[in-house]
Amino acid sequence: MSACAPTRTTNSTRTESVHQPHSPPPAPHRRFRVAGADVSASIAVFLIALPLSLGIALATGAPLQAGLVAAAVGGLVAGRIGGCPLQVSGPAAGLTVVTADLIHHYGWRTTCAITVLAGLAQLGLGCLRVARTALAVSPAIVHGMLAGIGVTIAVAQLHIVLGGTPHSSVLDNLRALPAQLANLHPAAVTVSVLTLTLLLLWPRIPGRVGRLLRRIPAALVAVAGSTAAASLAGLSMAKVDLPSWSSHALAGLPEGPVLGLIAAVLTTTLVCSVQSLLGAVAVDKLAAARPCLTARVGRADLDRELLGQGAANIVSGALGGLPVAGVAVRSSANVNAGAVSRNSTMLHGVLVVVAALLMVPILEFIPLASLAALVMAVGIQMVSLHHIRTVTRHREVLVYTVTTLGVVVLGVLEGVTLGIAVAVAVAMQRLARTRITHEEREGVHHVRVRGQLTFLAVPRLSRALHLVPHDAHAVVELDGSFMDHAAYESLQDWQNTHTAQGGSVELTGRRPGTRSSEPMPLAEGHGESSVGCLCRPWTPWRNHQCEPSRSAAPADHTGAPSEPSGPSNPSGQIGRSARDSRSGHQLARGISAFQRNTAPLVRGELARLAREGQRPSQLFLTCADSRLVTSMITSSGPGDLFVVRNVGNLVPLPGEESGDDSVAAAIEYAVDVLKVRSITVCGHSGCGAMQALLTAEPVGPPTPLKRWLRHGLPSLERMADDGRPWARLAGRAPADAVEQLCLTNVVQQLEHLHTHESVSRALREGALELHGMYFHVGEAQAYLLTGTDGDEVFDHVEAAGLSA
């Protein structure tokens, strides 16, 4: 197994070698080898790409061969050079409107030249390593741009579906639609309806038969079915016409106004680059669901991907092809079909070349109405309801709407420019908008600040603060992520003055301070302000610096304040009582902060979980150590993880004598009742249980802790066995014997899991995966277990969004 439970070998003479994280596996003996999974994936992608490439070429008004050229070049050139091995490039629906507009204004040969120039611009951007900067564009703008393009495509293709010819702009197409509806072409409408019906119903065929049939792409079934029906019925309509390749038009010298050509190149570069980079990020997310695949291909190198897309556009434009970009539909099909390397993308390009040369007589049976219906469906899908709900939830619907309407009415470049302007205006308005309220409850004055606290809000803040009487207790709640220096000084001056006049101040919410998170000084000796916790709810683990009053007794090396012992305080009883009081007070404050700040935000989700019940996807078995916050290190929330914690993250072997019913019951419940799809055993650095195993004395009474730790003895024996290779971290050796035992223990507990009947049965059925994980507390770094020929390596997990 790979990242799940590594397969063991008994060969202890294995040559030790350390390869860099996310580097390719060692080169095999053969020079070139294609995995069977890549072959099957390439066929699946080819079957999707062939009809879509022809349909997109039809929608742009380009020669139909141009779509095949772009698909072949995207697979071969971008697939070989690009930085995202599993992304499939080719003619994209997102470029349809741009390309159609270029062909309308400049002609086909100049459009090809613009594609070449856009490729050169992409090469320059890739060399400047600005790919990550392109992702700084607001998602609302990107989704709005794609939605506008989708609307434009759908309205234009609707005319072909009805048997007519589209116009050059959306408004013209809408004005001509009533006349087109009055003059329907029955054969075109029939073929289009059949295509859309097959496209809609094919993925929804139920049962086992449906699972088998769904392996054939719906796009291929729709086009092939409508083509067969049209041929058998003898319907008369326009069909695909592929002229001889000898008459195929190549790129020519660009002709037209210089400023217009520059704008065209910039627009093509922008759309190609943004769509390709967003596609690469999406492919990374798909691959992340397969840890074995992520360890093999690594994360996308976005700068290299930009270079690959630029090279592909240069070649495609020079050969008379459409602009090339990463295509989400083909890329997701490639990953879901089981591709394991860039070979699948390149093989799909080879298959397109073969089809373009040998399948021309078959392709010319396809009705244009069928291709138009296919592309119209793609355009409709580009207006995503999920994206609309997302931008609405983040209060960016105005940016989305303006961008969409701008693209539809004015064009892609103009629409994106409008969207950027609106996004900047909204951001500035949010930065300047601050809500400050004052109210008195039971003698306590509450001043609540909502939003960013800048110099613009200082006058209103001062007015609210001066409503607090001199000797009153005030609670100032700051709920924002930024405070500039002017606001900081204003608040600090008022606090010092208020406490000097006999009042008290309590600051809650985010840690107030400057941009560098400098903590706000608190006055001493005035109620809770001297010992107040400055941690924001939900993030008590971040910069948790809840220190006792400076006037308290000095702290010892553990950080706890020391109390003198003596006749008046035997054995420090008063000190312990004071500490217990502070602990209880901190717990009550934390619960109160949750009820005030967090509960309103999560109440809806928890109510849904209460109604529907828990449906976690993972069983997460880890140590009881307080430094391991499972939801934090896995970025999970309520209902995501079924967590089992014990001392040493141990999985006792089943059996009456050695077993432990609590852990076994949790495993059985998670696998058989909750139907979790994976089990993760997570160890960590500095584990006290592993230290106890290494230093345990054989004599002494059998305490509960000693009886429990006997379940860790197999890990200790495994580490002492010279015949077994040691588990290790990628890139470095374990720091000491304790870390070595922590790593070995994770591997051993994964083997213990196999002995549980519910786990072994689910593994045999392919319904469960096992994963090993190690978390280094001091580095805040997670490692996932990978395995090759008995070599257990914990490979570090890269930060999200960073290239490998």
Side-chain angles (χ1 to χ4, degrees):
M1 300 179 69
S2 54
C4 309
T7 305
R8 283 294 195 169
T9 64
T10 57
N11 180 17
S12 61
T13 61
R14 172 184 53 82
T15 302
E16 291 286 343
S17 62
V18 178
H19 73 276
Q20 294 299 318
H22 300 295
S23 62
H29 295 296
R30 296 173 59 182
R31 284 184 175 273
F32 182 73
R33 181 180 179 183
V34 180
D38 283 333
V39 175
S40 60
S42 67
I43 295 174
V45 175
F46 161 73
L47 295 177
I48 296 174
L50 188 63
L52 280 177
S53 299
L54 292 172
I56 291 171
L58 172 67
T60 61
L64 295 184
Q65 296 104 316
L68 300 177
V69 171
V73 171
L76 292 170
V77 179
R80 179 65 185 88
I81 303 176
C84 185
L86 301 183
Q87 174 158 261
V88 181
S89 301
L95 291 162
T96 302
V97 175
V98 177
T99 309
D101 188 60
L102 294 179
I103 295 174
H104 176 73
H105 285 93
Y106 301 106
W108 172 242
R109 292 172 66 87
T110 298
T111 299
C112 292
I114 291 173
T115 302
V116 173
L117 294 175
L120 291 172
Q122 286 181 299
L123 285 180
L125 294 175
C127 292
L128 293 174
R129 307 185 68 82
V130 298
R132 289 285 169 189
T133 306
L135 296 181
V137 179
S138 169
I141 297 175
V142 176
H143 298 323
M145 178 190 73
L146 295 177
I149 292 172
V151 170
T152 305
I153 292 172
V155 173
Q157 297 310 296
L158 181 60
H159 282 270
I160 302 179
V161 165
L162 299 175
T165 302
H167 298 273
S168 58
S169 71
V170 179
L171 297 180
D172 290 340
N173 282 322
L174 290 175
R175 282 192 289 265
L177 194 56
Q180 185 63 61
L181 289 171
N183 188 24
L184 295 177
H185 191 292
V189 173
T190 301
V191 170
S192 300
V193 170
L194 178 59
T195 302
L196 293 174
T197 302
L198 289 173
L199 199 62
L200 179 66
L201 297 181
W202 188 260
R204 293 171 172 79
I205 299 177
R208 181 177 301 178
V209 175
R211 286 196 298 271
L212 294 175
L213 293 178
R214 284 195 295 270
R215 295 182 180 179
I216 306 174
L220 178 68
V221 172
V223 173
S226 59
T227 300
S231 300
L232 293 175
L235 298 179
S236 176
M237 65 183 70
K239 297 182 179 180
V240 169
D241 182 17
L242 294 174
S244 171
W245 284 102
S246 60
S247 59
H248 179 63
L250 303 179
L253 293 176
E255 298 178 358
V258 175
L259 292 179
L261 292 174
I262 292 175
V265 172
L266 290 178
T267 303
T268 306
T269 303
L270 171 68
V271 179
C272 287
S273 302
V274 171
Q275 182 163 345
S276 299
L277 295 176
L278 291 176
V281 173
V283 169
D284 271 354
K285 294 179 181 178
L286 291 174
R290 298 166 55 190
C292 311
L293 180 62
T294 304
R296 178 166 182 173
V297 302
R299 298 187 65 84
D301 183 339
L302 297 186
D303 292 305
R304 179 178 172 181
E305 180 65 19
L306 207 52
L307 293 173
Q309 296 294 332
N313 274 313
I314 292 173
V315 176
S316 179
L319 296 179
L322 292 171
V324 171
V327 187
V329 175
R330 295 171 222 181
S331 300
S332 60
N334 191 38
V335 176
N336 294 332
V340 295
S341 72
R342 63 177 72 246
N343 290 334
S344 63
T345 303
M346 297 173 65
L347 279 175
H348 127 270
V350 172
L351 293 175
V352 172
V353 172
V354 172
L357 296 177
L358 302 180
M359 294 178 60
V360 172
I362 298 176
L363 297 178
E364 289 184 337
F365 280 101
I366 300 175
L368 295 183
S370 177
L371 295 178
L374 176 63
V375 177
M376 185 180 73
V378 173
I380 294 173
Q381 290 171 357
M382 292 173 71
V383 187
S384 170
L385 293 179
H386 170 70
H387 291 157
I388 294 175
R389 285 193 294 267
T390 300
V391 298
T392 302
R393 187 167 61 249
H394 291 281
R395 297 182 300 165
E396 292 185 318
V397 68
L398 177 62
V399 178
Y400 178 91
T401 304
V402 169
T403 306
T404 301
L405 294 177
V407 170
V408 170
V409 177
L410 302 175
V412 175
L413 186 60
E414 294 83 355
V416 170
T417 303
L418 279 176
I420 292 174
V422 173
V424 171
V426 170
M428 295 299 293
Q429 188 265 345
R430 288 177 179 173
L431 182 62
R433 186 182 65 181
T434 306
R435 183 183 178 189
I436 302 174
T437 60
H438 168 268
E439 61 179 338
E440 180 184 358
R441 295 197 302 266
E442 299 178 356
V444 178
H445 291 258
H446 295 263
V447 177
R448 177 172 296 181
V449 180
R450 291 284 185 266
Q452 318 311 319
L453 197 52
T454 66
F455 67 95
L456 297 174
V458 166
R460 285 182 290 141
L461 176 64
S462 297
R463 284 195 296 270
L465 293 175
H466 281 82
L467 294 175
V468 180
H470 294 320
D471 57 348
H473 176 60
V475 177
V476 180
E477 181 180 338
L478 304 174
D479 187 10
S481 60
F482 176 79
M483 178 190 296
D484 70 5
H485 191 67
Y488 172 80
E489 285 195 346
S490 176
L491 184 57
Q492 185 183 34
D493 291 343
W494 172 84
Q495 179 190 8
N496 293 336
T497 303
H498 186 70
T499 54
Q501 294 173 345
S504 61
V505 179
E506 179 183 355
L507 299 174
T508 65
R510 289 190 187 272
R511 292 185 56 148
T514 62
R515 193 178 182 87
S516 61
S517 299
E518 175 185 339
M520 170 81 74
L522 297 177
E524 298 179 5
H526 294 282
E528 292 182 11
S529 66
S530 60
V531 295
C533 173
L534 302 182
C535 301
R536 182 170 176 80
W538 272 107
T539 57
W541 43 267
R542 185 180 66 183
N543 298 333
H544 204 319
Q545 305 289 340
C546 300
E547 299 292 346
S549 168
R550 290 177 228 169
S551 60
D556 63 12
H557 69 279
T558 63
S562 60
E563 297 286 347
S565 60
S568 63
N569 184 18
S571 304
Q573 293 291 336
I574 296 177
R576 285 195 296 272
S577 175
R579 285 194 294 272
D580 292 343
S581 176
R582 281 194 296 268
S583 298
H585 180 63
Q586 181 180 346
L587 176 63
R589 283 176 55 85
I591 297 173
S592 175
F594 167 80
Q595 293 299 149
R596 181 178 66 251
N597 297 283
T598 306
L601 302 178
V602 300
R603 187 170 285 119
E605 176 66 11
L606 291 179
R608 183 188 66 81
L609 291 171
R611 290 192 307 270
E612 301 176 1
Q614 61 169 330
R615 289 181 291 181
S617 60
Q618 301 181 51
L619 166 59
F620 198 86
L621 196 151
T622 188
C623 185
D625 193 294
S626 63
R627 296 167 295 180
L628 262 68
V629 184
T630 56
S631 58
M632 179 180 72
I633 63 178
T634 59
S635 297
S636 55
D640 292 338
L641 300 181
F642 187 71
V643 181
V644 175
R645 307 187 70 152
N646 59 52
V647 176
N649 47 275
L650 301 178
V651 181
L653 293 168
E656 295 183 1
E657 296 182 0
S658 62
D660 178 87
D661 285 343
S662 65
V663 178
I667 294 172
E668 179 182 351
Y669 184 77
V671 176
D672 291 343
V673 179
L674 298 179
K675 304 295 183 183
V676 297
R677 296 188 296 273
S678 69
I679 300 178
T680 300
V681 176
C682 177
H684 68 96
S685 62
C687 181
M690 299 300 104
Q691 294 177 13
L693 277 175
L694 285 172
T695 59
E697 296 291 339
V699 296
T703 63
L705 179 60
K706 287 185 177 180
R707 287 196 298 271
W708 169 254
L709 288 180
R710 76 183 187 276
H711 300 302
L713 292 177
S715 300
L716 197 60
E717 296 168 357
R718 185 189 194 98
M719 191 177 76
D721 187 356
D722 294 334
R724 292 176 180 265
W726 278 3
R728 58 189 175 84
L729 296 173
R732 70 172 177 87
D736 51 27
V738 174
E739 185 168 54
Q740 180 63 68
L741 184 56
C742 292
L743 299 173
T744 304
N745 183 58
V746 172
V747 178
Q748 183 65 38
Q749 302 314 313
L750 286 173
E751 291 194 359
H752 286 186
L753 278 172
H754 284 82
T755 63
H756 290 258
E757 174 59 28
S758 56
V759 174
S760 60
R761 181 176 61 253
L763 289 173
R764 288 194 302 270
E765 295 172 354
L768 184 67
E769 291 183 349
L770 303 184
H771 301 278
M773 178 177 168
Y774 176 75
F775 185 76
H776 194 290
V777 177
E779 299 174 355
Q781 177 64 57
Y783 297 81
L784 282 178
L785 176 63
T786 61
T788 305
D789 299 331
D791 181 18
E792 292 88 16
V793 180
F794 286 83
D795 208 355
H796 71 278
V797 179
E798 294 286 351
L802 296 179
S803 58

